[in-house]
Amino acid sequence: EVQLVESGGGLVQAGGSLRLSCTVSGFTKDDYAIGWFRQAPGKEREGVSCISVSDGDTYYGDSVKGRFTISSDNAKNTVYLQMNSLKPEDTAVYYCAAGPWICSYYSGSSYYTQKGYWGQGTQVTVSS
């Protein structure tokens, strides 16, 4: 079965850094993408970043551009999210998701969740 395992969340002060990891197993096709999303209590889920496994194209939400960097280690089936200059507004549960349409979120698609799989989420808390 497809599984996504996330790690790296925690509590940091504003201005600090964290690196999140998402390891994917059981996904048999190479034509897919892995994205990071976040959701804070009382707020809508929003896209953070996304990367295509096949061609390496990357996407970022406006609020994190210049601060977060997504990368992949295909040999390990792992995607990383390096989070720098963290702000209290970044506090949320961060989820990774894998699927063929995940990155279409950044084209305005409402169907980015189709055929997708989601991790359990990891809490990121940024104190001021």
Side-chain angles (χ1 to χ4, degrees), residues 20-32:
L20 306 183
S21 299
C22 177
T23 299
V24 181
S25 62
F27 210 103
T28 58
K29 292 187 176 182
D30 293 331
D31 185 18
Y32 71 101

Side-chain angles (χ1 to χ4, degrees), residues 60-122:
Y60 295 93
D62 289 341
S63 64
V64 306
K65 287 180 179 177
R67 299 189 297 122
F68 293 6
T69 303
I70 192 168
S71 62
S72 65
D73 184 339
N74 291 346
K76 296 182 178 180
N77 295 319
T78 299
V79 168
Y80 305 95
L81 184 68
Q82 180 66 46
M83 309 165 67
N84 298 327
S85 302
L86 284 163
K87 305 175 181 179
E89 306 91 86
D90 296 318
T91 296
V93 177
Y94 284 69
Y95 300 89
C96 64
W101 300 106
I102 291 296
C103 293
S104 68
Y105 172 92
Y106 299 91
S107 299
S109 175
S110 298
Y111 302 99
Y112 68 96
T113 61
Q114 294 295 306
K115 301 180 181 180
Y117 298 85
W118 295 78
Q120 79 284 357
T122 184

